[in-house]
């Protein structure tokens, strides 16, 4: 029963609790306004952007090291916890990580000179639990496997947060090559459970003396909003509108065109914190070291008092309601882009996320194809944290002002009982064109020629011509008629001779006068 309870807890956390993913969606470049939320320097193609609550964007992500079938085994008519299979699939450091992001509103407007102004509201739930294989082994099997060994319970921690962010963004081309973006965010926190990132503990089992030596530091569990969510106190409705748990964060991005073939782009998001002040409950075990020698079997008549004196009093717990600060998990992305053709881009992407002072990495490589102005699609090979290689895909379609997108990672051989991770995004928003005005080129877009008429207009040998399409800095035009250079040269020579003759005649008349 104990093992089953622990296993169910691990699976529940994995199913309902963020990791940096959505690589396939990132590879859409600036095809949607929502890509600007990942990289503030990406300016979408359009003039006015409007997103309605929920419809404009939902993002769900889960990343776990073990699947359902790696935890439970069916034996006859019973389902049992397979401890050996669990331990066999864990690595030294593991995590349960998940996110649910819902776009409540976004409005963006692109100025005629190029910059993008935006306002966004997002509802977010993030949860992470990092743990070691050694800890799981000790919990399931006790100290029998660790006699005369030191078990280090470090790099263990959790953070789960429900908050809302209000963002004000600005992105602008600095020059023809560089575009930068910045978004400041005001945060309102609703609930939080977290541990400090510096928790440390060691347990040593002495097989000869039959005793356990324990030592721990910074063992604290902090929480805010739990009683309000349980409706034990306060008003949940007003709490979810606004309260005293506030903070700030910042997103930064930059896109740089090396030349007509290569572009590099990167971002760092969620650099910020929330100060928790309402409905605080902090539970702390004071820093201590002790030795547990077991209980005296001759005192079993008073076993409760014996355990309290020999073990429970060693923990010295305390509680307080002191305000505290929690930091958002910082996420960073970087992509190298090869513009193979006006329609095809090749991406190589890397990402990192800081969780409880631990760095988690992801990698992706893929291609993006533009089907005219209405469709853009990407296909990507992904390597997510603690997962094997898999495939992701994304597509966006536009009909009139309505734009829809759909993206998913970990789609090959997807099966719920065997799944360890997945990432899914979808949304619909409104993207209005430039109302007859030409939009300056910025971000990753290949913009129109400034001042162009018709499809595109350029100058060829002193004459205006229409272009069929653009390839980087080059304009593709219709084949021009062959010029008769001989006749043109003859006409030019006659013109020169005539001017020379007129000059000499004028000089002669002057001399005669």
């Amino acid at each position: 029963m104990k093992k089953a309870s622990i296993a169910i807890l691990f699976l529940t956390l994995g199913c309902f609790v963020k990791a940096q993913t959505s690589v396939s969606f990132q590879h859409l470049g600036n095809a949607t306004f929502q890509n600007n939320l990942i990289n503030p320097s990406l300016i979408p193609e359009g003039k006015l952007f409007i997103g309605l609550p929920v419809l404009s964007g939902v993002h769900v992500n889960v990343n776990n090291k073990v699947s359902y079938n790696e935890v439970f085994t069916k034996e006859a008519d019973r389902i049992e916890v397979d401890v050996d299979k669990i331990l066999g699939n864990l690595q030294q450091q593991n995590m349960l990580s998940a996110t649910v992001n819902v776009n409540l509103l976004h409005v963006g407007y692109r100025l005629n000179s190029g910059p993008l102004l935006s306002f966004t509201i997002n509802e977010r739930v993030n949860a992470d639990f990092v743990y070691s294989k050694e800890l799981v082994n000790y919990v399931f099997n006790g100290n029998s496997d660790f006699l005369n060994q030191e078990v280090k319970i470090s790099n263990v921690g959790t953070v789960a947060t429900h908050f809302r962010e209000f963002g004000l963004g600005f992105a602008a081309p600095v020059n023809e090559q560089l575009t930068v973006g910045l978004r400041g965010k005001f945060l309102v926190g609703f609930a939080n459970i977290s541990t400090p990132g510096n928790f440390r503990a060691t347990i040593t089992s002495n097989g000869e003396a039959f005793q356990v030596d324990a030592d721990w530091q910074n063992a604290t569990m902090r929480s805010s909003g739990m009683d309000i969510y349980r409706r034990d106190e306060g008003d949940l409705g007003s709490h979810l509108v606004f309260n005293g748990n506030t903070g700030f964060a910042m997103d930064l991005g930059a896109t740089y065109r090396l030349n007509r073939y290569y572009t590099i782009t990167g971002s760092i998001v969620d650099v910020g914190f929330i100060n928790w002040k309402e409905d605080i409950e902090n539970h702390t075990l004071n820093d201590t070291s002790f030795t547990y020698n077991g209980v005296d079997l001759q005192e079993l008549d008073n076993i409760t008092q014996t355990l309290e004196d020999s073990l429970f009093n060693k923990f010295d717990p305390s509680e307080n309601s002191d305000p505290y600060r929690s930091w958002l998990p910082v996420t960073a992305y970087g992509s190298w882009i090869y513009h193979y053709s006006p329609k095809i881009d090749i991406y190589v992407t890397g990402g990192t996320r800081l969780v409880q002072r631990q760095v988690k990495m992801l990698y992706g490589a893929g291609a993006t194809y533009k089907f005219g102005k209405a469709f853009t699609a990407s296909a990507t090979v992904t390597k997510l944290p603690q997962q094997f290689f898999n495939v992701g895909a994304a597509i966006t379609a536009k009909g009139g002002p309505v734009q829809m997108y759909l993206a998913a990672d970990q789609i090959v051989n997807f099966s719920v009982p065997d799944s360890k991770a997945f990432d899914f995004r979808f949304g619909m928003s409104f993207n209005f064109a430039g109302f007859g005005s030409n939009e300056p080129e910025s971000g990753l877009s290949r913009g129109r020629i400034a001042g162009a008429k018709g499809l595109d207009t350029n100058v060829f040998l002193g004459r205006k011509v229409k272009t069929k399409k653009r390839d980087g800095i080059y304009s593709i035009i219709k084949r021009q008629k062959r010029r008769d250079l001989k006749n043109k040269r003859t006409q030019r020579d006659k013109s020169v001779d005539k001017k020379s003759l007129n000059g000499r005649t004028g000089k002669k008349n002057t001399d005669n006068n």
Side-chain angles (χ1 to χ4, degrees):
M1 184 64 183
K2 171 188 172 183
K3 294 179 178 179
S5 299
I6 296 172
I8 292 173
L9 173 62
F10 272 71
L11 283 175
T12 303
L13 286 171
C15 292
F16 292 98
V17 292
K18 168 173 173 184
Q20 76 285 15
T21 51
S22 302
V23 183
S24 302
F25 182 70
Q26 290 187 64
H27 288 181
L28 291 179
N30 64 335
T32 72
F33 177 89
Q34 287 80 356
N35 288 95
N36 178 267
L37 301 179
I38 300 176
N39 186 336
S41 70
L42 298 182
I43 301 178
E45 299 176 359
K47 187 72 174 181
L48 177 64
F49 313 92
I50 299 176
L52 301 179
V54 183
L55 293 176
S56 58
V58 175
H59 176 213
V60 178
N61 169 268
V62 173
N63 192 325
N64 195 3
K65 184 53 183 171
V66 292
S67 66
Y68 176 88
N69 285 339
E70 292 174 347
V71 174
F72 298 104
T73 299
K74 188 174 183 180
E75 295 289 343
D77 296 332
R78 298 181 304 171
I79 297 178
E80 298 182 350
V81 178
D82 194 331
V83 178
D84 293 334
K85 187 183 290 186
I86 294 174
L87 295 174
N89 283 282
L90 293 179
Q91 55 192 25
Q92 290 303 313
Q93 285 298 132
N94 309 273
M95 73 174 181
L96 298 172
S97 187
T99 187
V100 177
N101 289 347
V102 179
N103 183 227
L104 298 181
L105 175 71
H106 73 248
V107 178
Y109 181 75
R110 190 172 176 185
L111 304 178
N112 291 332
S113 56
L116 172 71
L117 301 176
S118 63
F119 175 72
T120 57
I121 305 177
N122 295 298
E123 196 82 3
R124 301 178 57 180
V125 177
N126 298 340
D128 299 284
F129 173 49
V130 294
Y131 61 96
S132 64
K133 178 179 180 179
E134 202 170 37
L135 173 62
V136 177
N137 192 5
Y138 197 90
V139 170
F140 276 121
N141 297 321
N143 62 353
S144 59
D145 292 342
F146 299 95
L147 294 178
N148 302 317
Q149 296 182 35
E150 183 180 72
V151 179
K152 294 183 178 180
I153 307 176
S154 58
N155 296 327
V156 176
T158 186
V159 57
T161 308
H162 175 202
F163 66 101
R164 184 177 300 138
E165 65 177 25
F166 301 81
L168 188 61
F170 177 78
V174 177
N175 51 44
E176 293 183 355
Q177 293 180 291
L178 178 63
T179 301
V180 297
L182 168 69
R183 179 165 39 250
K185 299 188 290 188
F186 176 73
L187 312 178
V188 179
F190 303 124
N192 174 263
I193 299 177
S194 60
T195 58
N198 56 352
F199 168 71
R200 298 289 182 271
T202 58
I203 300 175
T204 304
S205 300
N206 191 320
E208 296 180 357
F210 299 100
Q211 67 183 28
V212 176
D213 297 322
D215 174 87
W216 62 73
Q217 299 176 348
N218 305 309
T220 300
M221 177 65 75
R222 310 172 301 187
S223 68
S224 173
M226 295 298 102
D227 287 339
I228 296 178
Y229 270 66
R230 291 192 295 260
R231 298 182 184 273
D232 292 339
E233 66 175 53
D235 180 67
L236 181 60
S238 61
H239 181 76
L240 293 177
V241 174
F242 189 81
N243 60 70
N245 303 323
T246 59
F248 300 91
M250 183 176 294
D251 300 341
L252 302 170
T255 299
Y256 186 77
R257 290 188 180 188
L258 298 174
N259 50 47
R260 73 187 185 96
Y261 290 111
Y262 302 108
T263 297
I264 56 175
T265 183
S267 65
I268 179 168
V269 299
D270 289 339
V271 183
F273 59 86
I274 298 176
N275 293 319
W276 300 94
K277 302 177 181 179
E278 297 192 3
D279 188 18
I280 305 296
E281 291 184 18
N282 299 326
H283 300 271
T284 302
L285 296 179
N286 295 328
D287 296 353
T288 188
S289 300
F290 72 91
T291 299
Y292 176 61
N293 296 303
V295 298
D296 189 345
L297 296 179
Q298 296 179 357
E299 299 181 6
L300 291 180
D301 293 338
N302 194 13
I303 185 64
T304 301
Q305 186 63 43
T306 302
L307 286 173
E308 184 176 343
D309 294 339
S310 62
L311 180 60
F312 297 152
N313 287 340
K314 304 292 186 180
F315 288 89
D316 191 19
S318 63
E319 298 181 12
N320 64 69
S321 56
D322 297 336
Y324 64 93
R325 172 178 291 181
S326 68
W327 291 83
L328 301 183
V330 179
T331 305
Y333 299 101
S335 294
W336 172 87
I337 308 167
Y338 170 54
H339 303 295
Y340 177 78
S341 73
K343 295 184 177 181
I344 301 175
D345 289 333
I346 308 299
Y347 280 77
V348 176
T349 297
T352 183
R353 186 165 179 265
L354 185 62
V355 181
Q356 290 286 304
R357 300 190 180 185
Q358 298 185 41
V359 176
K360 304 298 180 181
M361 298 293 298
L362 71 78
Y363 309 94
T368 299
Y369 189 85
K370 298 182 179 180
F371 302 85
K373 295 183 178 181
F375 297 92
T376 301
S378 71
T380 305
V381 176
T382 61
K383 173 65 176 69
L384 306 185
Q386 67 184 13
Q387 306 299 334
F388 194 66
F389 290 95
N390 208 296
V391 175
I395 186 170
T396 176
K398 185 179 179 182
V402 179
Q403 184 174 33
M404 296 180 291
Y405 69 89
L406 179 67
D409 287 339
Q410 302 292 109
I411 62 177
V412 173
N413 297 324
F414 180 80
S415 166
V416 173
D418 295 313
S419 176
K420 300 180 182 181
F422 71 89
D423 186 276
F424 181 71
R425 287 177 180 262
F426 72 93
M428 180 187 73
S429 56
F430 297 95
N431 181 342
F432 297 93
F435 307 113
S437 62
N438 296 312
E439 302 158 6
E441 182 177 359
S442 60
L444 299 179
S445 64
R446 298 179 176 88
R448 298 165 60 87
I449 305 171
K453 298 179 181 179
L455 173 64
D456 274 331
T457 304
N458 212 334
V459 176
F460 179 74
L461 297 178
R463 294 181 300 174
K464 286 188 175 183
V465 294
K466 289 186 176 181
T467 62
K468 298 170 61 177
K469 60 180 180 178
R470 298 292 302 272
D471 183 3
I473 63 173
Y474 296 100
S475 300
I476 309 301
I477 64 176
K478 292 182 179 181
R479 185 174 181 178
Q480 303 295 301
K481 292 182 179 181
R482 185 174 181 179
R483 297 183 301 164
D484 190 345
L485 298 179
K486 182 176 180 181
N487 291 336
K488 286 183 176 292
R489 186 180 299 111
T490 302
Q491 294 175 2
R492 184 185 63 188
D493 293 342
K494 289 181 178 180
S495 177
V496 171
D497 293 342
K498 185 176 181 180
K499 289 181 179 180
S500 299
L501 179 60
N502 291 337
R504 288 195 298 269
T505 303
K507 183 178 179 181
K508 183 176 180 181
N509 292 335
T510 302
D511 294 340
N512 292 335
N513 293 332

